[in-house]
Amino acid sequence: MAAAGSTKISWRLQEFEAHTSSVSCLSLGKSSGRLLATGGEDCRVNIWAVSKANCIMSLTGSKSPVQCLQLNASEEQVVAGSQSGSIKIWDLEAAKILRTLMGHKANITSLGCHPLSTNFLASSSMDTNIKLWDVRRKGYIFRYQGHTDAVRSLAFSPDGKWLASASDDCTVKLWDLSQGKAITEFKSHSGAVNIVQFHPNEYLLASGSADRTIKLWDLEKFTMVGSLEGDTSAVRCVFFSADGSCLYSGSSDSLRVFGWEPERCFDMVSVGWGKVSDLSICNQQLIGASHHLSTVSTFVVDLHKVKQTGGAVIQDILRDDQPLAAPSEAKGAALRRSYERPTTACTAQRVKQGAEGDRHSPEGERRSASEDEGDEKVSSAEIHNADDYKEIFQPKKAISRTPPKFHEPFPAPLEDESVVGLSRKMKDIAPFSEKQQVPPIAQSTPVQRVEPTVVSCAKRAPPPAEPPTAWPPPAPSAPAPAPLSPPAPGVTKAKPHAPPAHLHQPQPPKIILSSRNEPIGLNVADFLPPSASSRPGGLSEDEALSQIKKGHDTMCVMLSSRHKNLETVRGVWARDDIKRALDTAVSMNDLAIVVDILNIINLQPLIWKLDLCTTVLPQIDKLLQSKYESYMQTGCTSLRLIMRHFWSLISDTLKATPSVGVDITREERHHKCRVCCKQLKNLSNVVKNKSSAVGRHGSAFKELQLLMAPLDDAF
């Protein structure tokens, strides 16, 4: 094997700049595990071969950022949903656009491709609608309604009869495609459901949630048969093994392998992939992909070294030294039914018959032939790597299309990852000579780009003429958040020796991102020698550490103060209640303390009450207009929770006719509702002003604008 001789279980395969702006979504090919599609806020879809740094093809034509992607089962088509609500379908082999579908009124949140036919796909949007499309027609053939919040994941059953949907409203719904209606609804999750996946053989469904659990549902009895716990963060991906014997769970920086009936965790692997976005399996290797800003990273887990069986249940004791016992022949068939996979023609006929009577595609959402032709002219496929394109997407006669069914495993790196990670950090502190440079992880850093417009290095300055490589220039200088990273004395002041022209920093961004490539408050120029001619080498270790330590004492004082304030709030909460605790946090005039408290109570909607809303809403106004992205995200989450759980109460109370006599309790409730309604109307104006922004900020505010639409007609 290619990985023979290595003891590594998991490793980073590659890391590369995928787009000229932030990456918003990605999709791994499930049949080969070797194809990757990425979508970005630059309105492009880029196609990559996993482990190769150069872009194969770039698909253009979208007029708004790409929000979600899906490669179909054969990996011959890619479907892209945009922020504007449009859906584009691309034929990768022909390198052209097949169809643009219009019908959603808000940005697309998830896509699903039919497993047996390339003509059918499903989509969902922030408008909470799910639509089933026949790409041969100019409108959707079914609209499924029932969710009360954004749908985050769609999955077709292996036989193509059912569609499962997972939503932020904490529910999973199962839809019958031929009947056009919901079969059942599963409600056991206590947090938003991020992902849903069918078992490859049995009538079993898995759903992963922000409540850090995976639920397993029996699709014959429509009951929950298992709740898999152990993840320390939200479950972002789930993936059944090919034979359905175990379930892989991807969460922040870790992979877990679960079994069920009885529930047990076979193994846990620390991967370090951050917020993993998609999983795939090929040749006994699990491939995971994640994105951060404009960078995409892929990781490999060697499943040969991962425990995937747990042991038989003998006298109610799990035995790890024995394989899972197979059901005996005397018991008959498997525990539950298996899918019957009909032919493609039967599938199309069944969906068509169910759709004829309920087809709903308003005339305003249809497109004429001339519009389609115009869209095809605007949309184009730019092939940047002709050799890879021909190898993967243009099969020759009598040769099966590549990527082939069987691949050599990705080799594990021989060097210790910690050494490579240290070398990368040191490269940011002082430039190395060519002889001193440590080789990167297997093809993790692109050496050259076929097309600079696809994978832009605009953020990085061009390298000098003499050295073959150049370290990247510093990130834009920005003020640090007051509670976390105050500007360190002496770190950001001007230096007597000005840095080179290519190190001049741009203006600070309006929004300080919650995730950054470089820490705020550190200037890379501080770690360079004053003059390249007088000091050709890098800084010594003591000099580098002294630069890093600048402001350390101030930071410790700030963090200690913040910890003391949080302990005070915690004491009030334990002694009184959450309302008094939040009032205490507000009285400290430190928005960071309020954010910390809100991040806790946002996960527990049951403890919210109306009087808590009167305290939180004024703080949300400050958070939404903050320059810190993390503050805005917390404010959006709190506002979404209030609208979802309290707006109906506020509206009904204010619309109710006055009661006869004196009712002090009712008067107090009426006053609180009136105060909340006034504050919500003010916030509605803030949300409308910010919903025009492009990118993930605009998406969050557009979702809130839809949720707050009833305020326009209120009182």
Side-chain angles (χ1 to χ4, degrees):
M1 291 182 58
S6 173
T7 60
K8 284 186 174 295
I9 299 177
S10 66
W11 62 91
R12 186 198 300 269
L13 182 62
Q14 62 178 158
E15 181 177 9
F16 57 92
E17 292 286 327
H19 289 265
T20 58
S21 59
S22 295
V23 179
S24 52
C25 55
L26 57 82
S27 176
L28 281 166
K30 298 301 185 291
S31 62
S32 70
R34 293 301 196 265
L35 200 64
L36 173 66
T38 62
E41 293 183 5
D42 57 3
C43 307
R44 285 176 175 256
V45 175
N46 291 339
I47 308 298
W48 312 80
V50 175
S51 81
K52 294 187 178 181
N54 294 323
C55 178
I56 300 174
M57 189 182 344
S58 184
L59 311 176
T60 65
S62 179
K63 298 178 181 178
S64 59
V66 179
Q67 292 292 303
C68 61
L69 285 173
Q70 186 71 44
L71 286 161
N72 72 344
S74 62
E75 300 180 9
E76 296 172 352
Q77 295 179 3
V78 63
V79 186
S82 71
Q83 191 179 88
S84 64
S86 66
I87 301 170
K88 291 184 181 293
I89 307 164
W90 294 86
D91 186 328
L92 298 179
E93 293 195 358
K96 68 176 184 179
I97 189 169
L98 292 178
R99 176 77 74 183
T100 299
L101 304 174
M102 309 292 290
H104 287 290
K105 298 179 180 178
N107 57 300
I108 307 300
T109 55
S110 61
L111 295 164
C113 295
H114 198 280
L116 304 177
S117 173
T118 58
N119 295 323
F120 299 103
L121 64 93
S123 63
S124 66
S125 169
M126 284 292 186
D127 59 16
T128 73
N129 290 326
I130 301 170
K131 295 184 177 180
L132 180 66
W133 306 83
D134 185 341
V135 299
R136 298 165 297 184
R137 305 185 182 186
K138 294 181 180 178
Y140 58 86
I141 56 177
F142 258 128
R143 178 173 62 184
Y144 305 99
Q145 295 177 301
H147 284 292
T148 58
D149 211 333
V151 178
R152 296 299 177 185
S153 177
L154 295 172
F156 284 94
S157 60
D159 60 1
K161 295 179 181 180
W162 293 341
L163 178 70
S165 59
S167 171
D168 282 350
D169 62 11
C170 309
T171 67
V172 175
K173 290 183 182 291
L174 191 64
W175 309 87
D176 188 312
L177 296 183
S178 60
Q179 299 299 323
K181 63 181 181 181
I183 301 174
T184 189
E185 180 182 52
F186 303 118
K187 296 182 177 181
S188 295
H189 282 293
S190 59
V193 189
N194 299 323
I195 188 71
V196 67
Q197 182 85 25
F198 281 92
H199 190 281
N201 303 314
E202 299 178 10
Y203 274 40
L204 192 68
L205 181 70
S207 57
S209 168
D211 63 10
R212 298 178 292 182
T213 67
I214 300 172
K215 309 291 186 187
L216 291 165
W217 315 94
D218 188 309
L219 300 184
E220 287 186 285
K221 301 176 182 178
F222 301 121
T223 57
M224 186 175 73
V225 296
S227 180
L228 308 176
E229 302 178 3
D231 283 298
T232 57
S233 60
V235 178
R236 301 179 58 84
C237 300
V238 295
F239 198 86
F240 281 101
S241 61
D243 59 359
S245 61
C246 62
L247 178 69
Y248 304 102
S249 167
S251 58
S252 294
D253 293 323
S254 66
L255 173 77
R256 282 176 169 78
V257 187
F258 287 107
W260 57 94
E261 295 175 325
E263 300 95 8
R264 55 217 185 276
C265 181
F266 296 143
D267 206 348
M268 192 282 288
V269 180
S270 180
V271 186
W273 51 27
K275 295 182 178 180
V276 61
S277 297
D278 201 7
L279 300 176
S280 183
I281 295 178
C282 180
N283 207 7
Q284 280 300 297
Q285 288 184 329
L286 183 139
I287 315 298
S290 62
H291 58 85
H292 173 74
L293 299 179
S294 60
T295 302
V296 169
S297 301
T298 55
F299 296 80
V300 177
V301 178
D302 188 351
L303 297 181
H304 287 105
K305 299 183 176 69
V306 175
K307 190 176 180 182
Q308 301 178 64
T309 57
V313 180
I314 302 178
Q315 296 180 353
D316 297 327
I317 299 176
L318 283 174
R319 294 280 301 277
D320 289 335
D321 58 344
Q322 295 185 14
L324 190 64
S328 62
E329 292 294 329
K331 292 185 179 180
L335 290 175
R336 51 185 60 85
R337 287 176 57 189
S338 296
Y339 295 105
E340 297 178 0
R341 290 169 174 78
T343 62
T344 303
C346 294
T347 303
Q349 183 66 22
R350 182 174 59 252
V351 175
K352 181 178 179 181
Q353 289 175 353
E356 288 299 332
D358 296 68
R359 178 180 172 85
H360 181 80
S361 185
E363 292 294 333
E365 295 173 354
R366 298 185 183 180
R367 292 162 59 89
S368 64
S370 60
E371 287 177 313
D372 284 336
E373 291 175 1
D375 185 81
E376 291 181 10
K377 292 180 180 179
V378 174
S379 304
S380 63
E382 302 172 4
I383 299 174
H384 301 291
N385 193 321
D387 293 337
D388 283 346
Y389 169 74
K390 291 179 181 178
E391 178 186 354
I392 295 175
F393 297 114
Q394 291 189 342
K396 298 179 180 180
K397 294 181 179 179
I399 299 179
S400 60
R401 78 177 284 276
T402 55
K405 294 181 179 179
F406 301 100
H407 300 269
E408 284 295 321
F410 292 118
L414 297 178
E415 65 269 20
D416 189 357
E417 191 114 351
S418 60
V419 175
V420 179
L422 178 62
S423 69
R424 286 184 173 179
K425 293 178 182 177
M426 294 303 295
K427 284 174 70 178
D428 291 338
I429 296 178
F432 288 88
S433 65
E434 184 176 1
K435 294 182 179 180
Q436 290 174 312
Q437 288 183 348
V438 180
I441 302 172
Q443 300 186 19
S444 63
T445 304
V447 178
Q448 62 179 0
R449 299 296 182 201
V450 176
E451 179 58 47
T453 59
V454 177
V455 184
S456 173
C457 297
K459 297 180 181 178
R460 303 179 178 179
E466 183 66 22
T469 58
W471 50 271
S477 176
L484 292 175
S485 304
V491 175
T492 56
K493 66 181 182 180
K495 289 289 171 182
H497 297 273
H502 71 278
L503 293 177
H504 286 315
Q505 301 179 8
Q507 295 297 322
K510 293 182 179 179
I511 302 298
I512 297 178
L513 301 178
S514 58
S515 55
R516 300 173 292 273
N517 286 331
E518 294 87 9
I520 287 179
L522 289 180
N523 189 343
V524 177
D526 293 336
F527 299 95
L528 300 179
S531 173
S533 59
S534 61
R535 297 187 60 185
L539 295 182
S540 67
E541 182 177 348
D542 292 338
E543 290 173 323
L545 288 175
S546 67
Q547 293 287 353
I548 295 174
K549 287 181 179 178
K550 286 183 178 180
H552 175 72
D553 293 338
T554 305
M555 172 66 73
C556 289
V557 171
M558 298 290 292
L559 292 177
S560 297
S561 175
R562 181 171 177 178
H563 181 263
K564 182 178 179 180
N565 289 339
L566 287 172
E567 285 292 336
T568 301
V569 173
R570 181 172 177 266
V572 175
W573 191 344
R575 185 175 63 254
D576 297 317
D577 56 19
I578 180 57
K579 174 68 165 60
R580 292 183 182 274
L582 191 59
D583 288 338
T584 303
V586 171
S587 67
M588 293 176 178
N589 293 321
D590 188 348
L591 207 55
I593 302 296
V594 176
V595 169
D596 287 339
I597 302 302
L598 287 179
N599 284 335
I600 296 172
I601 65 176
N602 283 343
L603 300 175
Q604 306 177 54
L606 295 179
I607 69 174
W608 283 68
K609 295 181 180 179
L610 191 60
D611 57 350
L612 188 64
C613 297
T614 61
T615 302
V616 172
L617 284 170
Q619 303 306 311
I620 291 178
D621 191 8
K622 299 177 184 178
L623 295 178
L624 295 186
Q625 301 189 61
S626 171
K627 62 182 178 180
Y628 302 118
E629 181 189 34
S630 59
Y631 288 16
M632 286 194 296
Q633 291 173 342
T634 300
C636 288
T637 302
S638 298
L639 183 55
R640 192 182 302 116
L641 187 149
I642 291 173
M643 286 298 301
R644 190 184 303 158
H645 293 276
F646 291 96
W647 172 245
S648 58
L649 170 64
I650 295 171
S651 177
D652 293 343
T653 301
L654 295 180
K655 288 179 181 178
T657 56
S659 60
V660 179
V662 179
D663 187 343
I664 297 177
T665 303
R666 182 188 180 281
E667 290 298 323
E668 290 178 351
R669 183 170 64 250
H670 192 276
H671 173 71
K672 293 175 184 177
C673 290
R674 192 165 58 248
V675 171
C676 289
C677 184
K678 182 179 179 180
Q679 293 170 339
L680 285 171
K681 285 189 174 182
N682 293 336
L683 289 173
S684 179
N685 295 328
V686 176
V687 170
K688 286 180 182 178
N689 293 334
K690 290 184 173 289
S691 63
S692 59
V694 176
R696 59 172 172 261
H697 310 301
S699 299
F701 284 112
K702 282 178 182 175
E703 178 185 357
L704 279 174
Q705 186 179 11
L706 287 173
L707 199 59
M708 302 180 76
L711 285 166
D712 296 336
D713 304 326
F715 326 112

